[in-house]
Amino acid sequence: MAEAGCGMTGAISDIEAFRRLVLERSGLSLGADKDYLLQSRLTPLMREEGLATLEALFARLRLDPRGRLAQRAIDAMATHESYFFRDATPFDQLRDTLLPALVARRTGARRLRIWSAACSSGQEPYSLAMLLLEERRLMPDWTVEILATDMSQPILDRARRGVYSDFEASRGLSEARRSRWLRREGGDWSIAPEVRALVEFRPHNLMDGTAGMGRFDLIFCRNVLIYFEQLQKRWALARLSEALEPDGALVLGSAETVVGLDSAFEPMPGLRGAFQPHDRSERLRA
Ligand SMILES: C[S@@+](CC[C@H](N)C(=O)[O-])C[C@H]1O[C@@H](n2cnc3c(N)ncnc32)[C@H](O)[C@@H]1O
């Protein structure tokens, strides 16, 4: 296997073509200030494929821009950082405000559907499942579904495995929660079966439509749109709005907002990082 080169050897036009490929296929914005990321994130892939330079990798991508290698290169440019009950506030708001309100409105259907869009290694959907199990008394015999999606197949495989290191299992989880919802497995921690049972993992790209996915009462789409270009952000928000029930809520990451994006959403009064469709009050009156 050839040694991977460390210098930025790809010609500018190649790098621009790669930026465009990543943007079109994932929405992720790789500004020129991110060139250092190209090098560090693509080097492991180049090594695996026996490619000595970025130029060689880009040449392969040009031949097959929709192939497996291109998808792996795009995945490599994404940030997969995640942890349990990330930022705490969205989960506290869900428990204290959003969930009781939704449950009150769904007593007829006795069904809740939640989408964790861009779920990475699974901590977000599993946190949602833990919280819903903790609040189960509100909806004792309801059908509760959590769909967890990501564009990256390897990260979805990890999420589905549901096995976390000591460090990962202590990030965001109190000891009480960890011993209740995770099991010791060798030196690691494994998600308990009742938590897993609520979550279905599936590949999905936020640049694609949501046909066939049905409507959700809640969508968590956190810490991903922050990496998108404006146009792609608007596009993804429009798709999310199509998949949200008219009285549902969209929850974004703490550094993300819909404000100034001319999207279908507006902030929910009194809540942080939670958004509702613009015409919610009219739709609820109808
Ligand atoms: C930083 S993680 C966020 C994980 C979790 N939502 C959280 O807040 O902890 C961002 C994830 O978004 C995924 N992603 C990036 N672009 C995407 C796209 N166009 N469609 C679906 N997932 C995408 C990445 O693969 C990555 O796993």
Side-chain angles (χ1 to χ4, degrees), residues 80-86 123 127 164-174 178:
H80 297 292
E81 162 93 355
S82 190
Y83 51 92
F84 290 102
F85 291 91
R86 185 174 190 168
Q123 288 93 330
S127 301
Y164 299 94
S165 68
D166 262 333
F167 172 68
E168 290 168 321
S170 56
R171 262 187 106 189
L173 277 184
S174 62
R178 191 175 57 181

Side-chain angles (χ1 to χ4, degrees), residues 26 28 78-83 86 118-120 124 150-152 155 204-207 222-224 228:
S26 70
L28 296 170
T79 301
H80 297 292
E81 162 93 355
S82 190
Y83 51 92
R86 185 174 190 168
C119 66
S120 189
E124 180 176 277
D150 200 283
M151 70 168 178
S152 163
I155 204 79
H204 177 263
N205 189 323
L206 289 166
M207 292 294 96
R222 305 176 60 229
N223 304 300
V224 58
F228 282 23

Side-chain angles (χ1 to χ4, degrees), residues 110-165:
R110 302 165 85 76
R111 181 172 190 231
L112 270 188
R113 295 192 78 221
I114 302 181
W115 181 13
S116 167
C119 66
S120 189
S121 36
Q123 288 93 330
E124 180 176 277
Y126 288 136
S127 301
L128 290 166
M130 290 174 206
L131 191 142
L132 291 174
L133 287 169
E134 289 162 9
E135 300 302 307
R136 195 77 203 194
R137 67 187 186 290
L138 297 179
M139 36 189 176
D141 49 2
W142 289 35
T143 305
V144 174
E145 297 167 25
I146 300 171
L147 177 67
T149 60
D150 200 283
M151 70 168 178
S152 163
Q153 191 58 58
I155 204 79
L156 272 181
D157 292 342
R158 254 220 81 195
R160 204 175 279 118
R161 235 178 7 258
V163 175
Y164 299 94
S165 68

Side-chain angles (χ1 to χ4, degrees), residues 7-210:
M8 177 69 75
T9 49
I12 290 299
S13 58
D14 279 347
I15 292 174
E16 276 170 9
F18 181 63
R19 280 202 199 106
R20 208 164 308 136
L21 175 76
V22 173
L23 180 64
E24 281 166 9
R25 298 278 305 284
S26 70
L28 296 170
S29 163
L30 300 179
D33 56 327
K34 301 269 172 59
D35 277 359
Y36 71 98
L37 276 184
L38 292 188
Q39 184 63 52
S40 60
R41 293 200 174 171
L42 293 175
T43 295
L45 182 59
M46 285 155 56
R47 267 204 195 108
E48 255 182 61
E49 296 289 323
L51 299 166
T53 61
L54 277 176
E55 205 167 34
L57 175 64
F58 292 151
R60 286 266 303 273
L61 300 185
R62 260 200 315 276
L63 287 178
D64 190 8
R66 300 201 77 81
R68 184 195 58 88
L69 187 61
Q71 188 54 52
R72 290 191 66 200
I74 294 166
D75 284 355
M77 300 317 299
T79 301
H80 297 292
E81 162 93 355
S82 190
Y83 51 92
F84 290 102
F85 291 91
R86 185 174 190 168
D87 302 332
T89 304
F91 295 93
D92 293 345
Q93 289 181 162
L94 175 58
R95 182 195 56 215
D96 298 338
T97 310
L98 291 172
L99 188 62
L102 264 175
V103 166
R105 289 199 301 272
R106 296 286 185 274
T107 46
R110 302 165 85 76
R111 181 172 190 231
L112 270 188
R113 295 192 78 221
I114 302 181
W115 181 13
S116 167
C119 66
S120 189
S121 36
Q123 288 93 330
E124 180 176 277
Y126 288 136
S127 301
L128 290 166
M130 290 174 206
L131 191 142
L132 291 174
L133 287 169
E134 289 162 9
E135 300 302 307
R136 195 77 203 194
R137 67 187 186 290
L138 297 179
M139 36 189 176
D141 49 2
W142 289 35
T143 305
V144 174
E145 297 167 25
I146 300 171
L147 177 67
T149 60
D150 200 283
M151 70 168 178
S152 163
Q153 191 58 58
I155 204 79
L156 272 181
D157 292 342
R158 254 220 81 195
R160 204 175 279 118
R161 235 178 7 258
V163 175
Y164 299 94
S165 68
D166 262 333
F167 172 68
E168 290 168 321
S170 56
R171 262 187 106 189
L173 277 184
S174 62
E175 266 187 50
R177 265 193 174 135
R178 191 175 57 181
S179 56
R180 186 168 179 196
W181 300 125
L182 278 75
R183 305 278 175 268
R184 258 293 182 203
E185 191 179 284
D188 293 328
W189 294 88
S190 175
I191 297 290
E194 61 268 44
V195 178
R196 285 171 192 272
L198 292 189
V199 186
E200 182 196 341
F201 290 98
R202 218 191 282 168
H204 177 263
N205 189 323
L206 289 166
M207 292 294 96
D208 294 339
T210 55

